[in-house]
Amino acid sequence: MKLTSLLFLGLIGLSLTAQPDVTKASEVMKGLSEKEQMASTSLVRNIVFKNIGPTVMSGRVVDLDVNPNDPTEFYVAYASGGLWHTSNNGTSFSPIMDQSATQNIGDIAVDWRSGAIWVGTGENNSSRSSYAGIGLLKSTDKGITWEQMGLPDSHHIGRIHINPSNPDEVVVGVTGHLYSPNQERGVFKTKDGGKSWKKTLYINSETGIIDLAVSPIDFNVQFAAAWEKDRKAWNFTGNGPGSGIYKSTDAGESWTLVSTSTSGFPTGDGVGRIGLAVFDNNIVYAVHDNQYRRPKSDKEETSDEGLTKDDFKTMSVEAFLKLKNARLDDFLKDNNFHEKYKAENVKAMVEDGAVQPKDLATYLEDANSLLFDTPVIGAEVYRSDDGGKTWKKQNEDFIDDLFYSYGYYFAQIRVDRNNPDKIYLAGVPLIASSNAGKTYKAIDGDNVHADHHALWINPVRPGHLINGNDGGVNISYDDGAHWIKNNSPEVGQFYAINIDHEKPYNVYGGLQDNGVWKGPHNASESSRWHQSGHYPWTSIMGGDGMQIQIDKRNSNIVYTGFQFGNYYRLDLDSGKRNKVQPKHELGEKPYRFNWQTPILLSPHNQDILYLGGNKLHRSLNKGDDWEAISGDLTQGGKKGNVAYGTLTTISESPFKFGLLYTGSDDGLIYMSDNAGGSWNLISNTLPKDLWVSRVAASKHKKERVYASLNGYRWDNFEPFIYISEDYGKTWKSIASNLPASPVNVILEDPANDQLLYVGTDNGLYVSLDQGENWEVFQNGIPNVAVHDLVIQPEAKHLIVGTHGRSIYKADIALLQEMSPDKMSEDLVVFDIPEIKHSTRWGNSWSSWSEPNTPGIDIAFYTRKKGPFSAKVMTQDGIEVSAFTLDADKGFNILSYDVAFSKQGKSEYLKKYKVELKTADDGKTYLPKGTYDLLIEGNGKEEKRSIVLE
């Protein structure tokens, strides 16, 4: 196939070589202020979203703060789901940060005497979806209001400590930017409750503070864990010589490095993330993610042992050809080589020079192999008995299967206040040691999710633990022998969502570390399923859940999977599962697959499946067989330990089979109008090197295509959205008045081409005029990352997949009805759906239940705000109810309870000699029939019918 670069004129002033700029904190704060103003005047602020869950799988917890006098009360901080409070031991939770400018949290601290809450925004775990924050937030009214208290350029905060004797004295460990160097990192201290800050420890622009630990008997004695790291989209180095342990003996005013070369603690390039726990002024523990290589084993492999991948990396052709066929066949079978590769024909390929022995190792490698194949030392535990002067390694053997190779995500250690030898380590499992770290046992149970980040140990009741992990909160009262699961908050971290066309329709979603789930859109989130045993949502895939495609002919056929392109075709009816990932040929360079590999069922033929690696692959038979229909559609990748140079988005025009678009993580957009026969590069005039978060062919016009670019992995938070009316030959920015926040998705409405929806790292927007102007669209949704959007066309519902607060839906029928002409009218009243009459209205089925109350929403649009009146009348002119309201500019929803007013009932009975029963709730509801609704305001009057069947 042919790849062509199209050089177009258009956007000017764009550098072809410079990397994207880091967005200044002042621009971020300005954007938040602009968004707050936009929300107050949004035309759609009265259209409400409803959270539809799910909850049971929860989301990533980063911190806990427990009331020391009443441990049934505590706060839970979720990485991107905000702060939640419970006062009944986790039986229920309430979100208390929904009115704040962000839901992204690194750490929290509570002064339980005054009730003051400090939130360090910006997750500290440095994962691929660790969102930046806006510094420190403080609430003095238990979360009703929040005040920004400084450090807006910190991005990610590691730990906060409040002086128990003086709540105005606070010490903060700032981790700093994730993807770029910055100065606002280190240790900061305030003595005036956050009015001013002093930087008391600074190492360099790439080293921040990931942990702070304070002596429980003396606030003056503090330890800080410095962490040098460098994350890029293509590589993560989580270690460096700047990493180490510092000590303060004056409450964080000054610091001394105690992890020196003579202290016994590792130093140098291999020092990774460090976690700290202080028992008293002398005994200190540190868990260290040691990135130095393990020493090679002296054990020599015998010829009888099975072959390994590494054997082939240095094997000569002669030695390869001497291998016994049975031994080679065992290796090929055990490592899932394609069935066409048998020992006999592989040897023939090597003998002919078509492949080399090392190609067998290469065949098994992928973009993720470095993450799991790197033989580093990993987790180590050190203890100091002299206040940090000297350190001794506690573990006698490697602590395998704790951090695996991503210790940057963990490094949490705790010590029991009642026993200096009892410690806990958080990693993939949760493990404990009773002998100061020499040996360990796992204490996480069957109902405890993996990947642990927070642990509270009751200082007065040994064995009482509260644990926070990637799957929410668990509580134990017997030191981990048994656990209670406390997952009622809607805090799912969705990457992708989709819908089917069943009645009622189902919603599907892939979540961070919580697999892929399916559930009916109208399922009620409650604890009733504890009684029935049937949770309405069903898990259909494990791992990190990714994109989902559903066969429109049979919704039991679902294509989905987990990270790095591991996709499957599921038959939900039979339970069968077939892997559908394309595989490179022996001797060919391995394909690169993104963490969230894009897949797409062709809208023209549901047997045709597309999957993007670094090439675009197509299957004509539901994923059973594949062909690459492009060359490399990226810049070719970069050396590193993270898959890069991969496709991130695919779109096919509904107007023409084979009119295809792809976008990559390194900023390239390609178009093919002949089913992959040739490709044109169409992104030359767009900003360079940004992640193409979405490319979307229009549903209304063949030539039209949309694109969104995302600078998150450069710490660039500008919104980039474009439209092209000529297949991408020229582009026009439609970012317009969008505030600063990276864009994850743009969606064109299928019924109205003027309607566009955009999800950003900080919320949701809608445009009613094809991107000329944007409106904040999140009544009911906090300021959370929106990762994906989909519309269920029959129900006219917009489904919103958030990365932190699960899934929301809203009825968008009103928006779809709007046209440019209607937008200019003074008053537009929408038709009112018929409502089924019931004699049970206002009555309850028992003395203890709530009455069954009806209601209808009367929706109207007005071009300017002002007073409006509404009357409900019988068709012969009797006014049965009336009300007034102050309407906002834009869309308004008037809720009517379908009941008589006192005056209306009297007037109705004067004319009609009938019995009108008063319901249990004290209201008299309208009889069956058709009524007229008259709405008047802004000099206009409109009439609609209300039908009670």
Side-chain angles (χ1 to χ4, degrees):
M1 64 281 306
K2 181 180 178 183
L3 299 180
T4 306
S5 175
L6 301 179
L7 299 175
F8 301 122
L9 298 175
L11 305 176
I12 59 175
L14 297 174
S15 169
L16 297 178
T17 57
Q19 70 181 37
D21 293 331
V22 175
T23 301
K24 295 178 180 179
S26 58
E27 289 298 312
V28 174
M29 301 308 291
K30 177 185 174 186
L32 294 176
S33 178
E34 290 172 348
K35 183 180 182 185
E36 185 177 8
Q37 177 60 32
M38 287 175 64
S40 69
T41 60
S42 172
L43 298 179
V44 294
R45 65 186 178 278
N46 294 318
I47 298 178
V48 179
F49 282 88
K50 177 185 178 183
N51 192 293
I52 63 171
T55 62
V56 70
M57 73 292 295
S58 194
R60 185 162 65 249
V61 173
V62 293
D63 198 22
L64 302 158
D65 207 304
V66 183
N67 187 337
N69 299 315
D70 178 10
T72 66
E73 180 185 16
F74 55 91
Y75 293 93
V76 182
Y78 293 87
S80 56
L83 185 62
W84 295 67
H85 173 255
T86 180
S87 57
N88 55 18
N89 206 34
T91 305
S92 63
F93 291 87
S94 299
I96 63 168
M97 261 181 69
D98 282 11
Q99 303 307 312
S100 68
T102 182
Q103 297 294 300
N104 307 326
I105 303 179
D107 193 58
I108 59 171
V110 180
D111 179 52
W112 287 98
R113 291 177 303 172
S114 67
I117 309 167
W118 288 82
V119 173
T121 64
E123 187 189 358
N124 57 24
N125 286 318
S126 300
S127 73
R128 54 181 39 83
S129 58
S130 292
Y131 286 110
I134 54 173
L136 289 160
L137 300 180
K138 181 182 180 182
S139 175
T140 56
D141 52 15
K142 296 189 176 181
I144 298 172
T145 60
W146 293 91
E147 183 180 0
Q148 210 281 341
M149 302 304 296
L151 309 184
D153 198 40
S154 56
H155 279 204
H156 302 272
I157 289 179
R159 195 73 73 192
I160 306 171
H161 283 287
I162 304 170
N163 187 338
S165 302
N166 178 10
D168 286 336
E169 186 176 0
V170 181
V171 183
V172 179
V174 174
T175 309
H177 290 194
L178 179 55
Y179 285 96
S180 61
N182 77 310
Q183 300 297 311
E184 199 165 87
R185 58 174 77 204
V187 176
F188 292 80
K189 181 175 180 177
T190 181
K191 294 181 178 179
D192 54 15
K195 295 176 183 176
S196 61
W197 294 91
K198 176 184 177 184
K199 186 190 291 187
T200 63
L201 176 61
Y202 175 77
I203 296 98
N204 60 54
S205 63
E206 293 187 341
T207 303
I209 301 300
I210 189 60
D211 203 3
L212 275 174
V214 175
S215 170
I217 61 174
D218 186 355
F219 189 76
N220 287 304
V221 178
Q222 304 182 5
F223 293 84
W227 184 24
E228 181 173 335
K229 59 179 171 50
D230 178 29
R231 181 149 207 152
K232 297 289 186 290
W234 56 89
N235 188 66
F236 183 37
T237 302
N239 51 278
S243 301
I245 302 173
Y246 290 78
K247 181 180 181 181
S248 173
T249 56
D250 53 11
E253 292 286 348
S254 61
W255 298 87
T256 302
L257 179 68
V258 294
S259 59
T260 63
S261 58
T262 59
S263 69
F265 196 87
T267 59
D269 289 337
V271 181
R273 180 171 174 172
I274 300 167
L276 300 168
V278 182
F279 182 78
D280 57 25
N281 287 5
N282 294 313
I283 298 175
V284 186
Y285 284 94
V287 61
H288 172 223
D289 176 32
N290 193 324
Q291 290 296 296
Y292 283 112
R293 296 289 183 266
R294 294 188 181 190
K296 291 185 178 179
S297 172
D298 293 331
K299 181 182 177 182
E300 294 292 337
E301 292 187 359
T302 69
S303 59
D304 293 331
E305 289 184 322
L307 293 165
T308 69
K309 177 184 71 175
D310 290 338
D311 291 334
F312 296 99
K313 291 184 175 179
T314 56
M315 187 179 291
S316 67
V317 170
E318 183 180 9
F320 182 85
L321 295 176
K322 288 181 179 179
L323 289 172
K324 293 181 179 179
N325 282 0
R327 192 178 180 207
L328 181 55
D329 274 330
D330 285 344
F331 170 81
L332 296 172
K333 182 179 179 180
D334 290 345
N335 287 277
N336 297 313
F337 275 70
H338 193 280
E339 60 184 11
K340 66 184 177 183
Y341 295 124
K342 303 294 185 184
E344 215 170 274
N345 59 344
V346 171
K347 280 187 176 181
M349 294 170 70
V350 170
E351 191 169 24
D352 292 342
V355 298
Q356 298 293 315
K358 64 181 180 180
D359 290 328
L360 275 76
T362 303
Y363 182 85
L364 294 176
E365 292 178 341
D366 58 35
N368 199 30
S369 62
L370 282 175
L371 288 176
F372 296 95
D373 293 348
T374 306
V376 297
I377 292 172
E380 295 180 315
V381 172
Y382 289 81
R383 172 169 161 163
S384 174
D385 290 308
D386 53 13
K389 292 178 183 178
T390 60
W391 299 85
K392 181 181 179 182
K393 189 170 81 168
Q394 299 298 102
N395 53 295
E396 298 167 352
D397 299 316
F398 293 121
I399 308 177
D400 287 328
D401 302 331
L402 177 66
F403 290 170
Y404 291 85
S405 57
Y406 42 103
Y408 65 84
Y409 195 52
F410 303 113
Q412 300 283 348
I413 186 170
R414 300 290 184 269
V415 59
D416 191 327
R417 287 291 305 122
N418 300 284
N419 180 357
D421 294 333
K422 183 67 178 290
I423 64 172
Y424 300 81
L425 297 182
V428 176
L430 183 65
I431 62 176
S433 171
S434 298
N435 54 14
K438 293 180 176 61
T439 59
Y440 296 88
K441 68 172 183 177
I443 62 167
D444 45 358
D446 292 339
N447 65 337
V448 180
H449 196 285
D451 294 355
H452 301 266
H453 306 285
L455 182 68
W456 177 81
I457 307 165
N458 194 328
V460 297
R461 180 175 177 172
H464 177 200
L465 311 174
I466 305 180
N467 167 235
N469 51 63
D470 271 14
V473 175
N474 292 87
I475 300 174
S476 175
Y477 286 94
D478 52 14
D479 207 32
H482 305 88
W483 293 91
I484 305 165
K485 202 171 189 70
N486 304 86
N487 280 2
S488 60
E490 301 95 345
V491 288
Q493 295 176 295
F494 281 87
Y495 287 120
I497 57 172
N498 211 336
I499 51 92
D500 63 25
H501 300 272
E502 301 297 323
K503 297 188 184 302
Y505 70 87
N506 297 291
V507 179
Y508 303 71
L511 300 101
Q512 190 277 330
D513 207 27
N514 279 293
V516 181
W517 291 70
K518 170 189 176 181
H521 77 95
N522 56 353
S524 175
E525 277 295 333
S526 71
S527 57
R528 182 171 294 178
W529 68 274
H530 293 182
Q531 176 78 3
S532 68
H534 299 290
Y535 187 65
W537 290 75
T538 304
S539 174
I540 62 174
M541 175 66 68
D544 282 81
M546 293 298 153
Q547 295 187 9
I548 313 102
Q549 293 287 292
I550 304 100
D551 193 322
K552 292 180 180 178
R553 303 164 302 186
N554 178 2
S555 64
N556 282 315
I557 305 301
V558 177
Y559 299 83
T560 190
F562 53 90
Q563 59 267 40
F564 296 116
N566 289 282
Y567 279 99
Y568 295 82
R569 184 180 68 247
L570 311 180
D571 186 329
L572 301 181
D573 189 38
S574 68
K576 290 182 179 178
R577 176 182 297 189
N578 298 91
K579 192 164 187 179
V580 295
Q581 185 181 33
K583 186 68 177 175
H584 61 283
E585 297 293 333
L586 185 60
E588 185 182 10
K589 193 173 182 180
Y591 299 140
R592 299 185 299 275
F593 295 102
N594 193 268
W595 173 263
Q596 186 184 155
T597 295
I599 57 171
L600 177 70
L601 278 173
S602 173
H604 303 279
N605 184 333
Q606 296 283 282
D607 286 342
I608 297 177
L609 180 67
Y610 299 100
L611 188 150
N614 54 307
K615 301 177 179 181
L616 183 62
H617 302 272
R618 182 181 65 199
S619 172
L620 300 176
N621 56 4
K622 306 178 184 179
D624 288 339
D625 301 289
W626 292 95
E627 60 176 332
I629 59 170
S630 77
D632 194 330
L633 298 177
T634 76
Q635 295 187 43
K638 287 189 177 184
K639 185 178 181 180
N641 55 18
V642 179
Y644 187 71
T646 62
L647 297 184
T648 52
T649 177
I650 308 166
S651 184
E652 184 176 30
S653 172
F655 292 98
K656 179 184 177 182
F657 172 73
L659 177 51
L660 297 164
Y661 297 90
T662 66
S664 69
D665 56 10
D666 52 11
L668 302 188
I669 301 175
Y670 275 91
M671 183 274 290
S672 173
D673 62 1
N674 54 11
S678 61
W679 292 87
N680 292 325
L681 178 64
I682 59 174
S683 53
N684 279 314
T685 58
L686 299 179
K688 306 304 174 190
D689 300 327
L690 297 172
W691 193 285
V692 183
S693 56
R694 204 66 51 124
V695 59
S698 171
K699 306 174 185 70
H700 296 277
K701 189 178 178 183
K702 182 180 176 183
E703 300 84 1
R704 183 179 297 158
V705 60
Y706 299 91
S708 60
L709 312 178
N710 185 303
Y712 159 80
R713 290 160 186 82
W714 297 98
D715 285 331
N716 181 297
F717 303 145
E718 296 177 58
F720 298 101
I721 313 175
Y722 301 90
I723 185 174
S724 173
E725 300 286 1
D726 52 14
Y727 304 102
K729 292 177 182 177
T730 59
W731 294 94
K732 172 189 172 184
S733 172
I734 53 172
S736 184
N737 60 325
L738 282 174
S741 188
V743 175
N744 299 311
V745 54
I746 180 169
L747 177 68
E748 180 190 56
D749 190 276
N752 184 340
D753 74 342
Q754 295 296 302
L755 266 181
L756 301 175
Y757 310 89
V758 159
T760 75
D761 280 355
N762 195 43
L764 177 66
Y765 299 84
V766 64
S767 174
L768 298 156
D769 52 14
Q770 211 172 76
E772 293 295 323
N773 299 279
W774 293 93
E775 308 287 340
V776 173
F777 189 28
Q778 52 185 84
N779 184 345
I781 305 178
N783 292 313
V784 65
V786 174
H787 263 225
D788 203 6
L789 300 168
V790 65
I791 291 171
Q792 214 295 335
E794 294 86 16
K796 303 183 187 300
H797 288 169
L798 174 65
I799 312 299
V800 181
T802 74
H803 198 79
R805 295 299 288 270
S806 293
I807 301 174
Y808 292 82
K809 73 174 180 182
D811 191 324
I812 55 171
L814 307 181
L815 303 183
Q816 290 182 333
E817 286 189 39
M818 297 304 288
S819 64
D821 289 340
K822 284 187 176 181
M823 291 292 295
S824 64
E825 293 183 18
D826 290 323
L827 177 62
V828 178
V829 181
F830 298 93
D831 291 337
I832 301 166
E834 294 180 357
I835 183 171
K836 187 74 173 176
H837 192 277
S838 173
T839 56
R840 294 182 56 207
W841 283 351
N843 299 314
S844 55
W845 63 274
S846 78
S847 302
W848 317 111
S849 61
E850 293 292 325
N852 173 31
T853 56
I856 59 174
D857 287 336
I858 300 166
F860 65 96
Y861 168 87
T862 177
R863 203 158 54 91
K864 53 186 178 181
K865 69 177 185 178
F868 278 73
S869 63
K871 299 177 183 179
V872 180
M873 308 180 72
T874 63
Q875 292 194 307
D876 54 1
I878 300 173
E879 183 181 300
V880 295
S881 190
F883 24 83
T884 60
L885 79 157
D886 291 323
D888 296 319
K889 178 183 177 181
F891 295 87
N892 293 268
I893 310 293
L894 177 62
S895 294
Y896 174 45
D897 60 6
V898 206
F900 285 98
S901 66
K902 184 177 181 181
Q903 180 66 29
K905 180 178 179 181
S906 175
E907 293 297 323
Y908 187 88
L909 289 174
K910 286 180 183 178
K911 177 133 186 192
Y912 298 103
K913 306 304 180 184
V914 295
E915 182 183 7
L916 294 177
K917 290 185 178 180
T918 301
D920 294 346
D921 63 359
K923 296 180 180 180
T924 302
Y925 291 95
L926 301 183
K928 288 183 180 181
T930 299
Y931 300 83
D932 292 329
L933 169 73
L934 274 73
I935 293 184
E936 184 178 4
N938 286 340
K940 297 280 289 184
E941 183 179 271
E942 290 285 338
K943 181 179 177 181
R944 293 293 183 272
S945 294
I946 297 175
V947 179
L948 308 181
E949 288 187 327

